[in-house]
């Protein structure tokens, strides 16, 4: 028999006519503190989410179905609600397209004369199943954007050649995929990215011929995109009559507007394309005293699925640390916040899909938010949290808003945590879902111990990370994750409290 809940007991006493005595204020229990989140509670979720039955949680697989059902189930049991007015309660469809390059061909000409280019130095991909573009003018665009993040080169109708690396100027400028998309929006028919040697050409070739997943674009990808090896790019520059080093040098000027190369390109490519929907999971804890502002917790549920070739002893990348651990924390944080005194403001919980494919679910949410982005007073991302033991100081990725930083410091200090503000982990800011929201102006933070001790983080990244070895075991350090979970309960309470956080921001 089920143990009756307090609410059921109340209803029963009313039915049999017993008055429920009001509790005099003086005798009311003090507001109970949130019960600490334990390693065992987190382990229980990670064990399930990272089990082989979930097949590594790849978007668009049976593993996705199990994962999103588990998360929505846990959040429903915690007392969260689906977002109002949703056609697909708990779930936000994220249209994705899986494509596999079948290869392509290129012929460049200088003044009509064919240029001999090592075909091994070029990888091509079409947006649609097939594309063929003839006689495109060719433009070198440096990094593609100026220091303000705008495309200034005239690329309309052209093939643009762009550097892969982040621009050496400006701040928080978009990465190459986004810059490629911006060039397409500016009218480029094709974008060829010059791959630095450090990227590893063979690795890149492998990645291109493997299936890749992207969002179905509401705005354009170029009809043909691809990579040029450093050597192939240099050959083209030389054949166009440019000295290579000065051309590369010129591009590092933030005001560089590109150079038309006296070349034409005939490009063709074929691609196998499959469209499908994956899903973000979204839930809401309604505030007791809402003022239109909201707190957003997020973490990605997806991982890499079957990641080793057929015949390998273990084919599944289970993603226990990355990021079953973050989802486990989100589930337990939801339970504590729903159970204790109800915060003033609405608190949203978002489990994103396809983070591993380039923050795709987070970008989709940012374009189609369940709550207006301007109402989100803080977004707190949880990713790869099971790295450190108890007692690890708290670092924040996304620091720089004084009022937010001060509240995080106050809350963490009150819990007895030390603060690490050396900024060592800042380079990770683009490698996590919060980036997609931060790019649209949301105060987006990743707070906790995992990004404080670089030696521990690097040890994980250099070993089990993104391999079949990231699986559940008793050896995963969950002490730091449990502490970070408690910290997030407290942060949720602080940022959702109208007194403590008026939300005027900074
Ligand atoms: Zn990952």
């Amino acid at each position: 028999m089920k143990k009756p809940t307090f609410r059921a007991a109340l209803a029963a006493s009313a039915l049999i006519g017993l008055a429920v005595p009001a509790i005099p204020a003086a005798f009311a229990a003090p507001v109970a503190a949130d019960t600490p989140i334990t390693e065992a509670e987190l382990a229980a979720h990670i064990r399930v989410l990272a089990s082989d039955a979930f097949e590594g949680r790849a978007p668009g697989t049976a593993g996705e179905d199990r994962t999103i059902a588990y998360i929505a189930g846990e959040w429903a049991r915690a007392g969260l609600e689906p977002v109002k007015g949703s056609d697909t309660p708990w779930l936000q469809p994220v249209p994705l397209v899986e494509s596999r390059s079948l290869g392509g061909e290129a012929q460049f000409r200088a003044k009509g004369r064919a240029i001999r280019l090592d075909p091994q130095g070029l990888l091509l991909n079409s947006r649609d199943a097939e594309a063929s573009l003839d006689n495109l003018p060719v433009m070198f665009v440096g990094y593609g954007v100026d220091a303000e993040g705008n495309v200034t080169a005239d690329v309309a109708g052209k093939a643009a050649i762009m550097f892969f690396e982040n621009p050496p100027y400006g701040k928080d400028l978009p990465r190459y995929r986004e810059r490629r998309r911006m060039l397409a929006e500016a009218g480029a028919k094709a974008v060829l990215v010059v791959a630095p040697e450090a990227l590893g050409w063979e690795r890149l070739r492998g990645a291109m011929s493997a299936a890749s997943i992207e969002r179905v674009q509401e705005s354009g990808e170029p009809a043909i995109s691809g990579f040029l090896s450093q050597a192939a790019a240099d050959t083209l520059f030389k054949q166009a009559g440019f000295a290579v080093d000065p051309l590369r040098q010129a591009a590092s000027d933030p005001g560089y507007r590109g150079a038309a190369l006296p070349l034409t390109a005939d490009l063709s490519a074929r691609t196998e394309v499959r469209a499908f929907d994956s899903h973000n999971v979204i839930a809401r804890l309604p505030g007791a005293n809402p003022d239109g502002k909201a707190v957003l917790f997020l973490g990605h549920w997806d991982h890499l699925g079957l990641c080793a070739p057929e015949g390998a002893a273990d084919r599944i990348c289970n993603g226990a640390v990355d990021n079953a651990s973050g989802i486990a924390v989100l589930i337990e944080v939801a339970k504590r916040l729903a159970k204790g005194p109800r915060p003033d403001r609405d608190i949203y919980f978002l489990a994103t899909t396809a983070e591993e494919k380039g923050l795709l679910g987070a970008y989709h949410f940012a374009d189609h938010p369940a709550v207006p982005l301007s109402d989100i007073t803080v977004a707190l991302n949880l990713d790869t949290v099971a790295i450190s033991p108890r007692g690890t100081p708290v670092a924040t990725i996304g620091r720089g808003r004084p009022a937010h930083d001060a509240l995080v410091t106050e809350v963490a200090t009150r819990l007895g945590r030390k603060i690490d503000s050396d900024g060592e982990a800042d380079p990770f800011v683009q490698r996590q879902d919060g980036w997609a929201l931060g790019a649209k102006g949301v105060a987006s933070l990743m707070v906790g111990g995992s990004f404080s001790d670089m030696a521990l983080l690097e040890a994980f990244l250099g070993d089990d990370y993104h391999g079949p070895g990231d699986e559940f075991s008793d050896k995963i350090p969950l002490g730091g994750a449990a502490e970070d979970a408690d910290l997030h309960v407290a942060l949720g309470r602080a940022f959702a409290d109208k007194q403590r956080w008026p939300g005027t921001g900074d």
Side-chain angles (χ1 to χ4, degrees), residues 322 356 465-466:
D322 179 14
E356 303 287 8
Y465 175 69
H466 283 195

Side-chain angles (χ1 to χ4, degrees), residues 166 170-175 298 300 355 358-359 362-363 379-383 395-401 405 423-447 451 454 457-458 461 465:
N166 292 342
K171 197 175 167 280
D172 296 344
L173 291 174
R175 303 182 85 179
L298 71 158
H300 74 91
E355 186 270 355
L359 321 184
Y363 276 116
L380 296 160
N381 187 28
L382 286 145
D383 194 353
T396 300
I397 292 178
R399 277 162 55 88
R401 295 173 185 257
D405 296 346
E424 270 180 319
D426 289 352
F428 286 91
V429 69
Q430 298 191 354
R431 289 175 56 179
Q432 48 93 29
D433 272 342
W435 177 254
L437 295 160
K440 292 205 161 188
V442 177
S444 190
L445 309 178
M446 187 146 71
V447 183
F451 299 89
M454 286 295 112
L457 181 60
E458 297 295 349
L461 295 179
Y465 175 69

Side-chain angles (χ1 to χ4, degrees), residues 52-70:
D52 284 354
F54 282 60
E55 299 172 6
R57 303 188 307 279
T61 66
E64 161 162 357
D65 298 342
R66 292 190 187 112
T67 304
I68 61 181
Y70 183 82

Side-chain angles (χ1 to χ4, degrees), residues 71-219:
I71 298 168
E74 289 294 319
W75 280 347
R77 285 206 305 161
L80 306 192
E81 297 178 356
V83 172
K84 266 194 235 138
S86 165
D87 293 339
T88 51
W90 305 105
L91 302 180
Q92 176 179 49
V94 179
L96 298 177
V97 58
E98 180 178 46
S99 55
R100 187 189 309 271
S101 172
L102 301 174
E105 274 156 30
Q107 178 65 70
F108 291 88
R109 291 190 169 80
K111 296 190 187 114
R113 176 178 51 84
I115 296 174
R116 281 176 50 123
L117 201 64
D118 178 4
Q120 302 300 315
L122 185 78
L123 297 166
L124 292 177
N125 196 16
S126 56
R127 176 191 57 210
D128 305 320
E130 246 180 83
S132 180
L133 304 168
D134 285 338
N135 242 339
L136 294 180
V138 180
M139 178 121 192
F140 171 63
V141 298
Y143 297 89
V145 295
D146 65 10
E148 272 73 55
N150 299 313
V151 172
T152 56
D154 173 19
V155 292
K158 297 176 185 165
I161 297 179
M162 176 184 78
F163 286 147
F164 172 88
E165 293 95 330
N166 292 342
Y169 47 78
K171 197 175 167 280
D172 296 344
L173 291 174
R175 303 182 85 179
Y176 85 95
R177 282 171 186 245
E178 182 61 19
R179 287 183 275 125
R180 181 171 67 195
R181 199 170 293 140
M182 291 167 71
L183 288 167
E185 273 169 32
K189 290 260 171 62
V191 178
L192 303 176
V193 175
V194 183
E197 263 150 35
L199 209 55
W201 189 253
E202 286 312 313
R203 228 184 92 211
L204 199 55
R205 181 197 301 284
M208 285 278 279
S209 55
S212 81
I213 292 184
E214 304 254 5
R215 288 173 70 196
V216 171
Q217 288 304 321
E218 289 146 26
S219 54

